[in-house]
Amino acid sequence: MSSQIFSPGLQQALDLVGIFVFALSGGLLAVRKNMDIFGICVLAEATALGGGVMRDLVIGATPVAAFSDLGYFSTPLAAGLVVFFLHPQVERINTAVQTLDAAGLGLFCVAGTIKAHDYGLGFVPSVALGMLTAAGGGVVRDLLALEPPALLRWDREIYAVPALVGSTVVAALIAGNRLTPLNAGAAALSAFAIRMLALRYGWRAPRAWHRNDSRTSEE
Amino acid sequence: MSSQIFSPGLQQALDLVGIFVFALSGGLLAVRKNMDIFGICVLAEATALGGGVMRDLVIGATPVAAFSDLGYFSTPLAAGLVVFFLHPQVERINTAVQTLDAAGLGLFCVAGTIKAHDYGLGFVPSVALGMLTAAGGGVVRDLLALEPPALLRWDREIYAVPALVGSTVVAALIAGNRLTPLNAGAAALSAFAIRMLALRYGWRAPRAWHRNDSRTSEE
Amino acid sequence: MSSQIFSPGLQQALDLVGIFVFALSGGLLAVRKNMDIFGICVLAEATALGGGVMRDLVIGATPVAAFSDLGYFSTPLAAGLVVFFLHPQVERINTAVQTLDAAGLGLFCVAGTIKAHDYGLGFVPSVALGMLTAAGGGVVRDLLALEPPALLRWDREIYAVPALVGSTVVAALIAGNRLTPLNAGAAALSAFAIRMLALRYGWRAPRAWHRNDSRTSEE
């Protein structure tokens, strides 16, 4: 019943890097929305752990890992403090943050899919929970800040597609009984690469066909 | 431990119809909010399954049915694609969609109440969970779109009352040990009928007494 | 496996007082947002029980207490009706409501921390869940009303700090094997006192250092 595909030490390190970077994005939004230090830490926690918490609740893995592992819980607090003291510097390295966020996206969709399968879910639900793990925290972050969720906006580079690819590849590997640390890493890398290309070339997803522009509200 | 009151095939068909129609309302809101195809599918999923997921989490029925049954998960995706390609046509048959939504309301409040009772909850909590099953998805839909939840607005036709009636009738039937497919169907029909009458005659619920209009914010 | 520190009767009475007052704050916001009677009752329920429901879901205590105990569920409905009929009077005794809300904050952070520990969580997660129990309902209330969560706003008196102090004191008492009804009550009292002082003297938490005011959005 383990969602660890890499050696425990490596898996833990990768998880914490992903959590830290997701938390940075939450903290930065809190600063932009003029929140105080507690708002910064709450958004850091919610962004970093929200997706994993929702996955664990859905599959019934309680107490949820985010609250039973001290490292998972403490890392976003550290990220929150970094943003509190150094947010102009963090904003300035935004490209680096986006790159690490794409890495977190890849790692989380893979880890989420594997954990869902470990709890007995089938192919499609495991893919969906991998995507929820990767993208759910960002939705919670945006809602707490009363921002339209970036995941759902047509004018943002695609985020769901990379997660969908990474999760589907992993679910297919599991179905074919061929999951290894190496090709799990390749799945994470493919999600990472698609996200980076989307950012680089401004890839966006289509809106509904035959939109009657006069009737849709612009955001 | 079954919340099936009708024959499994009929129950499944009714569930999927309700899920499909709820998903249409989510997809249409996503189009109105200018979301891309992923936003449309996410809102379709959240609207159709949100209420049932919350009910299952509260009663501890994990992994939640929405993720362990492939039909439940795939139906909203199909509805999302229908909206993506055909949303002007779907908007045009809005009366039919509202009628089917009222039918979904009736079916979901009945099924939610029965499932809550199956998991050992008492009369009042079962009624509350029936209402949550029927109305929870719509609240999630509105929040994801940053719209004031229609359920809570005074200027929308009543939605909670039909669910309350349907759930209460079923809970009373269970308490009296008289639940049959026939009268469960009648309970769903009563919720459906009240909702349709509310839409037809513009029934609304009262706001607080002695409102000081100069102080309340208009929405 | 009991989170009761006081005698059952006293604990129950304290819980219900806290729930009732939290529910009043939810109902009053619903009136200000022009919601109907169902909106008032939904916000009363969500505010009063939201924090405890999230705690129970995270630790896996299902069916959650809020739905399996009739008193927990009925009390917010009673508060909603009080607000519906008497909201001008309730607004007028706002200072009393704020005082009782601070008392609820103290009681809930203590009870939440103890229950989390009872379910096997460690020091830091128990503190976090105590804070979630005390503050989570208010966040749900604000999101349902599409208001920026008061908990996260820099221009509101601190709410997280009192909960943090109360929860930390209780977790330390548990760690030192010294928890008694008397010093649990003292922990609740300390949270209550800090919150009251914060309201009296306008204590606020700092925003991020070196804020570049021209770039941050004012709320």
Side-chain angles (χ1 to χ4, degrees):
Chain A
M1 198 72 105
S2 156
S3 57
Q4 294 186 326
I5 35 170
F6 308 113
S7 70
L10 178 59
Q11 175 77 33
Q12 171 93 350
L14 291 173
D15 275 357
L16 294 184
V17 169
I19 286 172
F20 188 82
V21 185
F22 276 19
L24 285 184
S25 85
L28 286 175
L29 180 60
V31 171
R32 268 178 239 129
K33 299 295 278 192
N34 219 359
M35 294 178 183
D36 65 23
I37 183 167
F38 296 104
I40 294 170
C41 288
V42 168
L43 253 74
E45 290 282 352
T47 310
L49 305 178
V53 167
M54 286 194 276
R55 176 203 58 210
D56 287 353
L57 292 179
V58 163
I59 62 180
T62 52
V64 303
F67 281 90
S68 55
D69 182 310
L70 194 54
Y72 288 168
F73 189 83
S74 312
T75 302
L77 288 183
L81 291 177
V82 167
V83 169
F84 179 74
F85 287 111
L86 300 171
H87 70 99
Q89 288 83 341
V90 179
E91 289 272 17
R92 217 171 295 139
I93 58 165
N94 196 28
T95 312
V97 171
Q98 281 199 322
T99 306
L100 287 169
D101 182 87
L105 171 66
L107 292 167
F108 279 26
C109 70
V110 168
T113 304
I114 294 172
K115 185 160 186 180
H117 177 264
D118 285 342
Y119 275 76
L121 273 70
F123 189 96
V124 172
S126 296
V127 170
L129 283 171
M131 296 175 70
L132 183 68
T133 308
V139 172
V140 175
R141 171 199 65 205
D142 294 340
L143 288 183
L144 285 174
L146 290 191
E147 290 279 310
L151 178 73
L152 308 177
R153 294 179 64 161
W154 72 274
D155 57 349
R156 294 295 166 85
E157 289 77 15
I158 48 172
Y159 204 92
V161 175
L164 176 61
V165 171
S167 294
T168 306
V169 170
V170 169
L173 289 170
I174 293 173
N177 219 351
R178 289 169 186 280
L179 188 72
T180 65
L182 200 68
N183 57 28
L189 206 62
S190 69
F192 168 76
I194 295 171
R195 172 68 181 161
M196 290 307 291
L197 289 168
L199 285 171
R200 175 75 184 76
Y201 296 104
W203 290 349
R204 288 168 189 178
R207 282 174 287 173
W209 283 20
H210 317 297
R211 294 194 327 113
N212 182 339
D213 277 42
S214 63
R215 282 180 49 214
T216 55
S217 66
E218 292 300 322
E219 296 190 40
Chain B
M1 198 72 106
S2 158
S3 56
Q4 295 186 325
I5 33 171
F6 309 114
S7 71
L10 178 60
Q11 174 79 31
Q12 173 92 350
L14 292 173
D15 275 356
L16 293 183
V17 169
I19 286 172
F20 188 82
V21 185
F22 277 19
L24 286 184
S25 84
L28 287 174
L29 180 60
V31 171
R32 268 178 239 131
K33 299 294 279 191
N34 219 359
M35 294 179 183
D36 65 22
I37 184 167
F38 297 103
I40 294 170
C41 288
V42 168
L43 254 73
E45 290 281 353
T47 309
L49 306 178
V53 167
M54 286 194 276
R55 175 204 58 210
D56 286 352
L57 292 178
V58 163
I59 61 179
T62 55
V64 302
F67 281 91
S68 56
D69 182 310
L70 194 53
Y72 288 167
F73 188 82
S74 312
T75 301
L77 288 183
L81 291 177
V82 167
V83 169
F84 178 74
F85 287 111
L86 300 171
H87 70 99
Q89 288 83 341
V90 179
E91 289 272 16
R92 216 170 298 140
I93 56 164
N94 196 30
T95 311
V97 172
Q98 280 198 323
T99 305
L100 286 169
D101 182 87
L105 170 67
L107 292 167
F108 280 27
C109 71
V110 167
T113 303
I114 294 172
K115 185 160 185 181
H117 177 263
D118 283 343
Y119 275 77
L121 273 69
F123 189 97
V124 173
S126 295
V127 169
L129 284 171
M131 296 174 72
L132 183 68
T133 307
V139 172
V140 175
R141 172 197 65 204
D142 294 340
L143 289 182
L144 285 173
L146 290 190
E147 289 279 311
L151 178 73
L152 309 175
R153 293 178 64 163
W154 72 274
D155 55 350
R156 294 294 166 86
E157 289 77 16
I158 49 171
Y159 203 92
V161 175
L164 176 61
V165 170
S167 295
T168 305
V169 169
V170 169
L173 289 169
I174 294 173
N177 220 352
R178 288 170 186 278
L179 189 72
T180 65
L182 199 70
N183 57 27
L189 206 64
S190 68
F192 168 76
I194 295 171
R195 172 68 181 159
M196 291 306 291
L197 289 168
L199 285 171
R200 175 75 185 75
Y201 295 104
W203 291 347
R204 288 169 188 176
R207 282 176 286 175
W209 281 22
H210 317 298
R211 294 194 330 112
N212 182 339
D213 275 41
S214 63
R215 282 178 51 213
T216 55
S217 66
E218 292 300 322
E219 295 188 41
Chain C
M1 196 72 105
S2 158
S3 57
Q4 295 187 324
I5 33 171
F6 308 113
S7 71
L10 178 60
Q11 175 77 32
Q12 172 91 349
L14 291 173
D15 276 357
L16 294 183
V17 169
I19 285 172
F20 188 82
V21 186
F22 277 19
L24 286 184
S25 84
L28 286 174
L29 180 59
V31 171
R32 269 179 237 129
K33 300 292 280 190
N34 220 359
M35 295 178 183
D36 64 23
I37 184 167
F38 297 103
I40 294 170
C41 287
V42 168
L43 253 74
E45 290 281 352
T47 310
L49 305 178
V53 167
M54 287 195 275
R55 176 203 59 210
D56 287 352
L57 292 179
V58 163
I59 62 179
T62 53
V64 303
F67 282 91
S68 55
D69 182 310
L70 193 56
Y72 288 168
F73 189 82
S74 313
T75 302
L77 288 182
L81 291 178
V82 167
V83 169
F84 179 75
F85 286 111
L86 300 171
H87 70 98
Q89 288 82 341
V90 179
E91 289 272 16
R92 218 171 296 140
I93 57 163
N94 196 27
T95 312
V97 171
Q98 281 199 323
T99 305
L100 286 168
D101 181 87
L105 171 67
L107 292 167
F108 279 27
C109 71
V110 167
T113 304
I114 294 172
K115 184 161 186 181
H117 177 265
D118 285 342
Y119 275 77
L121 273 70
F123 189 95
V124 172
S126 295
V127 169
L129 284 170
M131 296 174 71
L132 183 68
T133 307
V139 172
V140 175
R141 172 198 63 204
D142 293 341
L143 289 181
L144 285 173
L146 290 190
E147 289 279 310
L151 179 73
L152 308 175
R153 294 178 65 162
W154 72 273
D155 56 349
R156 294 294 166 88
E157 288 78 15
I158 49 173
Y159 203 91
V161 175
L164 177 61
V165 170
S167 294
T168 306
V169 168
V170 168
L173 289 170
I174 293 172
N177 219 352
R178 288 170 187 278
L179 189 71
T180 64
L182 198 69
N183 56 28
L189 206 63
S190 68
F192 168 75
I194 296 171
R195 173 66 181 162
M196 291 307 291
L197 288 168
L199 285 171
R200 175 74 185 76
Y201 296 104
W203 290 349
R204 288 167 189 177
R207 282 175 288 174
W209 282 21
H210 316 299
R211 294 194 330 114
N212 182 338
D213 276 40
S214 63
R215 283 178 50 212
T216 54
S217 66
E218 292 299 324
E219 293 186 44

